Amino acid sequence: MNPTSSFSSIVIVFMGYLIGSVPFGVIFSRWMAGTDPRDDGSRNIGFTNVLRTAGRAPAVLTLLGDLGKGYLVVRFARHLSMEESWIWLTALSAVLGHTYPVFLGFKGGKGVATGLGVLYGIQPLLGWITIAVWGTTVWLWRYSSLGAIVAFGLLPVWVLFLRPAPSAILFSMTLTALILIKHRSNIQRLQSGTEPKIGRS
């Protein structure tokens, strides 16, 4: 890439981070329920805690917003015909924006919905496989967090078969590591047997 296009790609990556930073969980909770998910429950801004603290409608809109921002960032990068490595980097920047949002003092969500959004934007099959693994795991053990841990833990395996490019493999390993880091408290509760199952407080 020439210097101009490289600079443009850097700008798009930064824009991806800013879009990923939009805290839909806080926005819809305040607007529709007058609450802030950071004040109650797990204090997370994602779908599960918004559902617990603000109700179904804000939670569904939060899920759609978090999915959508990841998907749209990647589709926009593809529309600009960015090189593949830059597209993966833009995808990762959107997830980093959600997990470490500049608008909330870098204290954000766990990246699952936005991670799924970027996967659907890059290759829908990756998104469908990931959600299928998540759903199967949750159906068997009824732990939402375990579903996310298993689904994204296996992501590098699917990428290795479906998109065996160095940039894609590096992206999948980084995204997996990020998801696991953000779920470290859940992992501790799963190990101790104190993680709540779906439908229980």
Side-chain angles (χ1 to χ4, degrees), residues 24-26 29 37 42-53 58-59 62-63 66 98 108-111 113:
F24 286 109
V26 175
S29 292
S42 65
R43 305 185 188 278
N44 189 268
I45 65 170
F47 167 80
T48 302
N49 196 48
V50 172
L51 179 64
R52 182 183 300 118
T53 60
T62 295
L63 178 62
D66 289 344
H98 179 76
K110 297 186 177 181

Side-chain angles (χ1 to χ4, degrees), residues 115-192:
L116 281 173
V118 300
L119 291 178
Y120 279 116
I122 291 172
Q123 185 164 336
L125 183 56
L126 283 173
W128 287 117
I129 290 175
T130 302
I131 196 66
V133 173
W134 178 88
T136 301
T137 304
V138 171
W139 180 72
L140 289 173
W141 289 285
R142 298 192 61 77
Y143 290 110
S144 178
S145 59
L146 181 62
I149 292 165
V150 173
F152 281 91
L154 291 173
L155 177 62
V157 177
W158 315 132
V159 170
L160 187 62
F161 284 101
L162 296 174
R163 302 289 290 252
S167 58
I169 295 171
L170 180 60
F171 163 83
S172 66
M173 294 176 66
T174 305
L175 180 57
T176 294
L178 179 62
I179 296 292
L180 293 179
I181 289 171
K182 296 298 290 187
H183 281 82
R184 58 188 181 277
S185 61
N186 302 91
I187 293 172
Q188 293 172 351
R189 289 194 295 269
L190 286 167
Q191 292 174 333
S192 64

Side-chain angles (χ1 to χ4, degrees), residues 42-113:
S42 65
R43 305 185 188 278
N44 189 268
I45 65 170
F47 167 80
T48 302
N49 196 48
V50 172
L51 179 64
R52 182 183 300 118
T53 60
R56 184 176 300 174
V60 170
L61 290 175
T62 295
L63 178 62
L64 293 175
D66 289 344
L67 280 167
K69 66 186 180 184
Y71 177 82
L72 291 176
V73 162
V74 172
R75 296 312 301 173
F76 181 66
R78 283 200 171 281
H79 177 72
L80 296 179
S81 300
M82 294 174 68
E83 286 189 355
E84 192 76 6
S85 58
W86 282 105
I87 292 175
W88 290 109
L89 188 57
T90 303
L92 183 61
S93 74
V95 182
L96 284 170
H98 179 76
T99 53
Y100 301 101
V102 65
F103 305 125
L104 299 180
F106 304 103
K107 296 178 181 179
K110 297 186 177 181
V112 175

